[in-house]
């Protein structure tokens, strides 16, 4: 009993690590002091005296005022710091011999520096240690002066980053070639270039207790649905996590809480796609550190729409989009129909084809389901291997592996040649869907339909399709039905669903997504014939 009481007391006693963490938090929340050296010591102690935290002590010209700038090495533009901060403070600071009088004793020095000395664009005032630490770790330069319990944070970010290049995941023959990068400021600028309107707004959130990742929510005032916008902010504000590494973290945390393989948030790497979504009333969520921008609400028909659809003529686009829908059903049901017909419904096949298939399967030891399952799993393995392997050898290995594996499996009598054709056609069809997230959901669901076809034949496939339709009609994306405008059926929005009508007939924006401004353009007016001139 005595040992048990000691263990309970030890458990109730806070550990040294937790007390140190609480002490560190209280130190970070402390206000800045008027003593310069004390502020520097607190910053260095809070950051663990890391060697990349640079402190440059200076004297402000003949006033002999001690000051210091604090920054993180590698996150700032050194040339800009020298020209816009150090040179104005140390060399160009007004003195008694200059035409402009220096600040008087009654005038605050820090106010004078902000208004008349520093030649920078963005400058924020600091009053506590936490703000100074966040500024230093975000790539800003912190300016402190002796005798003043405040400082300045100057945006001087200049780390190495990837330049704007063509989007690698959404290639297009015609259209803009630029894609987003990992810097959120560059991404917002790319969208500003597309939409030069004062109605384009964006608000920021800092998410992640440790990473403190910048997240921007962009929308067009007057076009966006205010209820959906409020729901987006509500879901972002309730996120409490230690770190955000990619927009996929945000996607998983804000999506509708429904168990489904189908994505309810869509992402894109192309600024033109995101700009077009904003013009339709959707909301874009940009995350610092990733080139993939989230767009909500996301509908099922969006995953069949590509950026190139709106750069070609409507007749060409409509044909391509119908092909995409056809390949979606081939990807989902191709192996299942083969299994069901060859296992339960042989009477549906013409006699010559039935004899040919029977001859091919004469030496195959497995039923059609096991045969298709083996080939589908082999394809998934080759697909993942092609992605993970180095780019120089990934495509070669996947192509050679597919050919060798298919030929060897047929020659060994493990699978039939017809099954190889069905699986190959299914694999090729899966890549016609423009968005990879829907492709993954289709590949996952395909195995369920294969099992239903092997158990119940075509009856199982029909029951599975009914269950799938009911499930997809029950989904919501930020309150908007997932199958809009098919369920609920909205006749006025069928202009850009299975086909795309000419642009001059697309008058309005989506009804359930846009706000009050639903008119995209005015309908063309018919020209009245003029009477012939009288001679």
């Amino acid at each position: 009993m005595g040992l048990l009481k000691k263990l309970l007391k030890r458990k109730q006693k806070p550990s040294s690590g937790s007390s140190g963490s609480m002490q560190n938090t209280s130190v970070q929340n402390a206000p800045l002091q008027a003593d310069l050296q004390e502020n520097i010591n607190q910053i260095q102690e809070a950051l663990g005296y890391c060697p990349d935290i640079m402190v440059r002590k200076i004297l402000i010209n003949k006033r002999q005022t001690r000051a210091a700038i604090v920054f993180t090495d590698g996150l700032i533009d050194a040339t800009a710091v020298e020209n816009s901060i150090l040179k104005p403070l140390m060399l160009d600071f007004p003195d008694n011999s200059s035409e402009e009088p220096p600040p008087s004793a009654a005038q605050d020095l820090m106010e004078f520096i902000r208004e008349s000395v520093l030649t920078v664009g963005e400058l924020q005032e600091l009053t506590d240690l936490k703000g100074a630490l966040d500024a230093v770790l975000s790539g800003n330069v912190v300016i402190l002066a002796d005798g003043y319990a405040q400082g300045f944070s100057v945006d001087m970010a200049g780390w190495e980053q990837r330049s704007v290049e063509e989007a690698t995941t959404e290639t297009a023959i015609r259209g803009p070639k630029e894609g987003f990068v990992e810097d959120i400021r560059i991404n917002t600028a790319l969208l500003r270039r597309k939409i030069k309107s004062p109605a384009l707004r964006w608000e920021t959130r800092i998410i992640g207790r440790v990473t403190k990742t910048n997240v921007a929510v962009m929308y067009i005032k007057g076009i966006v649905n205010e209820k959906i916008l409020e729901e987006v902010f509500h879901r972002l504000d309730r996120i409490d996590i230690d770190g955000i590494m990619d927009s996929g973290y945000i996607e998983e945390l804000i999506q509708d809480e429904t168990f489904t393989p189908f994505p309810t948030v869509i992402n894109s790497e192309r600024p033109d796609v995101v700009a077009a979504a904003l013009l339709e009333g959707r909301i874009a969520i940009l995350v610092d550190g990733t080139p993939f921008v989230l767009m909500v609400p996301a509908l099922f028909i969006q995953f069949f729409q590509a950026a190139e659809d709106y750069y070609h003529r409507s007749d060409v686009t409509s044909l391509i989009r119908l092909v995409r829908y056809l390949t979606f059903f081939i990807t989902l049901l191709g192996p299942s129909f083969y299994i069901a017909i060859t296992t339960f419904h042989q009477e549906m096949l013409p006699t010559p084809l039935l004899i040919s298939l029977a001859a091919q399967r004469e030496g195959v030891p497995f039923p059609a389901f096991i045969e298709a399952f083996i080939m589908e799993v082999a394809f998934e393995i080759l697909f993942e291997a092609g992605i993970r392997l180095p780019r120089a050898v990934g495509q070669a290995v996947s192509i050679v592996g597919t050919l060798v594996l298919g030929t060897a499996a047929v020659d060994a009598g493990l699978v039939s040649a017809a099954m190889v054709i069905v699986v190959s056609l299914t694999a090729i069809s899966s890549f016609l869907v423009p968005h990879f997230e829907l492709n993954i959901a289709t590949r996952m669901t395909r195995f369920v339909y294969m099992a239903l076809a092997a158990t119940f034949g075509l009856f199982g496939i029909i029951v599975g399709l009914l269950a799938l339709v009911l499930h997809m009609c029950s989904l919501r994306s930020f309150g908007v039905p997932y199958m809009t405008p098919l369920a609920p059926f909205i006749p006025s929005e069928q202009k850009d669903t299975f086909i795309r009508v000419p642009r001059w007939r697309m008058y309005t924006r989506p009804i359930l997504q846009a706000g009050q401004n639903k008119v995209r353009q005015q309908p063309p007016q018919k020209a009245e014939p003029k009477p012939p001139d009288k001679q």
Side-chain angles (χ1 to χ4, degrees), residues 360-373:
Q360 294 178 21
R361 292 188 47 81
E362 185 176 358
V364 177
F366 305 111
F369 171 70
I370 301 299
E371 186 182 359
F373 184 81

Side-chain angles (χ1 to χ4, degrees), residues 319-337:
L319 176 61
I320 296 175
R321 190 171 294 179
L322 290 175
V323 173
R324 291 191 193 127
Y325 282 101
L326 175 62
T327 55
F328 169 77
F329 286 103
I330 293 176
T331 305
L332 183 66
L333 304 174
S336 305
F337 270 107

Side-chain angles (χ1 to χ4, degrees), residues 131-449:
L133 295 176
D134 293 341
V136 171
L137 297 176
S138 299
N140 295 352
V141 176
V142 173
I143 303 175
L144 303 172
D146 193 19
Y148 298 88
Q150 63 181 27
F152 292 133
S153 170
V154 183
D155 186 7
M156 286 289 165
W159 53 78
E160 294 294 331
Q161 58 190 7
R162 185 169 61 94
S163 60
V164 177
E165 301 172 352
E166 183 178 358
T168 57
T169 58
E170 299 175 76
T171 58
I173 299 176
R174 184 176 180 180
K177 299 298 182 182
E178 58 188 6
F180 288 120
V181 295
E182 286 73 17
D183 194 331
I184 191 173
R185 289 299 180 89
I186 296 179
N187 294 341
T188 55
L190 290 174
L191 291 176
R192 282 287 187 187
R193 288 178 54 191
K194 299 289 184 184
I195 305 176
K196 303 178 183 67
S197 171
L200 179 62
R201 312 289 175 81
W202 62 293
E203 302 180 27
T204 59
R205 294 288 191 274
I206 305 297
I207 300 180
R209 297 188 301 268
V210 179
T211 60
K212 299 184 184 301
T213 306
N214 290 325
V215 178
V217 179
M218 298 194 73
Y219 58 92
I220 299 180
K221 188 71 174 178
I223 296 180
V224 69
N225 190 319
E226 295 293 340
K227 294 183 179 180
I228 300 178
L229 182 62
E230 183 180 353
E231 180 65 20
V232 170
F233 284 126
H234 173 70
R235 297 188 186 186
L236 288 176
D237 292 337
R238 72 183 184 186
I239 296 178
D240 185 10
I241 193 173
D242 56 355
I244 299 293
M245 295 288 103
D246 184 77
S247 59
Y249 285 52
I250 300 294
E251 177 181 353
E252 192 170 355
L253 291 170
I254 68 173
Q255 66 183 358
D256 292 65
E257 298 176 357
T258 305
F259 183 74
T260 178
F262 293 93
T264 56
V265 178
I266 193 170
N267 65 79
S268 179
E269 198 181 0
R270 296 177 59 97
D272 56 333
V273 173
V274 178
L278 291 173
L279 291 172
E280 289 186 348
R282 294 186 175 91
I283 302 168
I285 303 174
L286 294 82
V287 180
D288 193 19
T290 176
F292 293 94
V293 175
L294 306 179
M295 295 172 288
V296 295
L299 307 180
F300 177 70
I301 62 171
Q302 273 187 270
F303 294 93
F304 295 91
Q305 300 171 354
E308 205 171 8
D309 293 352
Y310 303 93
Y311 304 139
H312 292 288
R313 299 194 316 270
S314 60
D315 51 354
V316 177
T317 299
S318 301
L319 176 61
I320 296 175
R321 190 171 294 179
L322 290 175
V323 173
R324 291 191 193 127
Y325 282 101
L326 175 62
T327 55
F328 169 77
F329 286 103
I330 293 176
T331 305
L332 183 66
L333 304 174
S336 305
F337 270 107
Y338 178 83
I339 294 172
I341 292 175
T342 56
T343 305
F344 295 97
H345 312 283
Q346 296 90 346
E347 67 278 1
M348 297 179 61
L349 296 175
T351 303
L353 179 59
L354 180 61
I355 295 174
S356 176
L357 293 177
Q360 294 178 21
R361 292 188 47 81
E362 185 176 358
V364 177
F366 305 111
F369 171 70
I370 301 299
E371 186 182 359
F373 184 81
I374 293 174
M375 293 301 298
E376 289 291 345
V377 171
F379 166 74
E380 296 294 336
I381 294 173
L382 290 172
F383 179 76
E384 287 298 321
I387 295 177
R388 310 303 168 199
L389 286 173
R391 185 175 301 179
V393 298
Q395 294 182 355
V397 170
S398 60
I399 294 174
V400 173
T402 304
L403 294 175
V404 172
L405 183 62
T407 305
V410 174
D411 294 340
L414 298 177
V415 296
S416 62
M419 179 59 72
V420 174
I421 295 175
V422 171
V423 173
S424 301
L425 180 61
T426 303
I428 296 173
S429 300
S430 64
F431 295 113
L432 268 71
V433 178
H435 293 273
F436 185 66
E437 292 78 12
L438 184 61
N439 184 12
I440 296 177
T442 309
R443 286 156 52 188
M444 292 172 58
T445 314
R446 183 168 63 219
F447 288 95
V448 177
Y449 282 97

Side-chain angles (χ1 to χ4, degrees), residues 12-70:
Q12 295 174 357
K13 184 178 179 180
S15 62
S16 59
S18 61
S19 62
S21 176
M22 294 174 60
Q23 183 178 2
N24 190 23
T25 304
S26 62
V27 170
Q28 292 184 17
N29 294 330
L32 292 175
Q33 305 298 321
D35 185 80
L36 175 63
Q37 188 59 43
E38 184 177 354
N39 290 331
I40 294 176
N41 292 338
Q42 287 184 351
I43 291 176
Q44 290 181 331
E45 182 180 359
L47 298 177
Y49 297 93
C50 292
D52 61 338
I53 305 300
M54 312 300 294
V55 178
R56 175 73 162 85
K57 297 181 180 180
I58 58 176
L59 288 175
I60 302 178
N61 206 12
K62 296 182 179 180
R63 292 181 58 85
Q64 301 300 314
T65 302
R66 293 187 302 131
I69 62 171
V70 186

Side-chain angles (χ1 to χ4, degrees), residues 490-510:
I490 304 176
S492 61
E493 295 191 17
Q494 302 302 317
K495 302 174 183 178
D496 194 20
T497 305
F498 295 106
I499 61 173
R500 184 179 76 81
V501 300
R503 192 172 300 277
W504 51 267
R505 291 192 57 188
M506 301 172 67
Y507 312 139
T508 59
R509 296 183 177 91

Side-chain angles (χ1 to χ4, degrees), residues 3-13:
L3 180 61
L4 180 61
K5 291 181 179 180
K6 290 181 180 180
L7 291 175
L8 291 175
K9 290 181 179 180
R10 184 178 298 177
K11 184 176 181 180
Q12 295 174 357
K13 184 178 179 180

